[in-house]
Structures are given as structure tokens and as C-alpha cells.
Amino acid sequence: MQNKIYLLGGSDIRKNDNEELDEKIFSELGGSPIISVLSWASEDPESSKAKDWWDRFKEHFTTLGAKEINIISINDFLEAIKDKIDKSEMLYIAGGATENLIKHINEKGIANIIKDFNGTIVGNSAGALCLCKEVIMTAEQHAEALIEPGLGIVDFSVEVHYKEKET
């Protein structure tokens, strides 16, 4: 399988505002891919609010025709995380607080598992930022501007939720 990376600037699955691209990605993956979802961008990725998002991801990807959706829990053992990702055709890295996502990925030690994944990676908002060489968090999106190392899967950085200011 050829590795493809999609960096989304802030798609909202509740609004299905990325339907055309989602359908294109699914089509490229044969129409009914196996998907793993990494949704660790909250302070507590196991909170009830975070688990509500798990249901939204499952509903969204099921509607699109996913064959199987695996939610990667931060409480999963490293080998279980690797197995879920390895059997998937698509890894979806969800958005939220970028600092939390990077912190959890580093603490859990899964950066190399993500880097070695040989399928399609979709990073949405914080998920897109973490895939970059450097994570540039601008003052518009965060309390203060910060630059932190990303996973380096792509050799550039992006701005998510960008809106051109009217002058």
C-alpha cells in the first residue's frame, strides 16, 4: 500500500464538512477500509467527553462505509496499539489541544509506530500539526506562540484553522 498523508485544517465530522475528501480517501482505499482512530488531544483522553467523540468517529466512519473502526485507547498496551495500527489501512489522528496530543504520543512512546505506518494517515487540526517537522502553534490558536518538535512525517509546517483577515 502506498503511504499517503492528508493534513486537514480543521474539519468537523459532526457537520460532515469534509464529505468530498472523505469519500475520495475511502475510494482510494477500496471503499471500505479498516481505520484506527487516535484521539488523544484532550487532557484526559479517557474522559466521558473524549469517549463521546469515539462514538462520533465510529458513526462518521461507519456512514462512509468503513469495514472496521478501531479506537486507540491511551490505556492500551503498546503492543495492542501497534497491532491496531498495523492492521489498518488508514490512521486518523483527531484534533483538539495540540500540546496534549504531542505529550501523550511522546509519553506513550508511539511516535515510531506512527512514523512506520504504511498506509494513509489523516491528521485533522492538531493531528495535522503533530505530523509536521515543527509544530507551530500561533497566538491566534493558543495562549502564546510556541514552536515544538513534531513527528517529522512531513518536512514542513502548517497553520490550521487559518482565516484570512480582512483589511
Side-chain angles (χ1 to χ4, degrees):
M1 179 187 320
Q2 184 179 2
N3 200 356
K4 283 197 172 186
I5 298 169
Y6 292 90
L7 305 175
L8 308 180
S11 172
D12 187 342
I13 63 166
R14 294 170 298 186
K15 297 177 183 173
N16 199 24
D17 63 358
N18 208 35
E19 184 176 13
E20 189 175 333
L21 181 58
D22 287 341
E23 289 173 355
K24 178 185 184 318
I25 294 168
F26 269 57
S27 175
E28 289 173 353
L29 295 171
S32 57
I34 298 172
I35 300 170
S36 283
V37 176
L38 181 73
S39 180
W40 292 0
S42 63
E43 183 77 26
D44 177 6
E46 295 291 320
S47 69
S48 61
K49 184 177 178 181
K51 289 182 178 180
D52 285 344
W53 275 101
W54 295 1
D55 292 335
R56 290 180 181 149
F57 292 124
K58 287 179 183 176
E59 180 182 335
H60 177 72
F61 291 126
T62 298
T63 300
L64 288 167
K67 180 178 183 178
E68 184 178 326
I69 302 131
N70 299 297
I71 303 295
I72 301 169
S73 168
I74 200 158
N75 292 328
D76 286 344
F77 291 110
L78 199 56
E79 194 59 37
I81 292 170
K82 184 173 178 359
D83 287 345
K84 285 179 181 180
I85 291 174
D86 284 349
K87 78 175 197 174
S88 297
E89 297 160 272
M90 181 175 116
L91 173 60
Y92 181 88
I93 305 175
T98 309
E99 307 87 55
N100 290 332
L101 178 59
I102 292 168
K103 178 183 84 169
H104 294 313
I105 287 171
N106 289 331
E107 286 177 352
K108 196 67 178 182
I110 65 164
N112 285 334
I113 294 171
I114 295 170
K115 288 178 186 178
D116 294 341
F117 177 61
N118 191 27
T120 296
I121 300 175
V122 178
N124 185 16
S125 188
L129 289 173
C130 81
L131 297 173
C132 297
K133 182 177 182 177
E134 293 181 320
V135 177
I136 301 171
M137 294 174 269
T138 60
E140 285 96 17
Q141 298 294 325
H142 299 84
E144 61 181 317
L146 298 168
I147 298 176
E148 292 188 19
L151 297 176
I153 293 174
V154 296
D155 192 26
F156 55 84
S157 297
V158 296
E159 169 71 26
V160 296
H161 304 285
Y162 175 79
K163 291 184 181 158
E164 190 172 344
K165 292 182 181 179
E166 292 183 26
T167 55

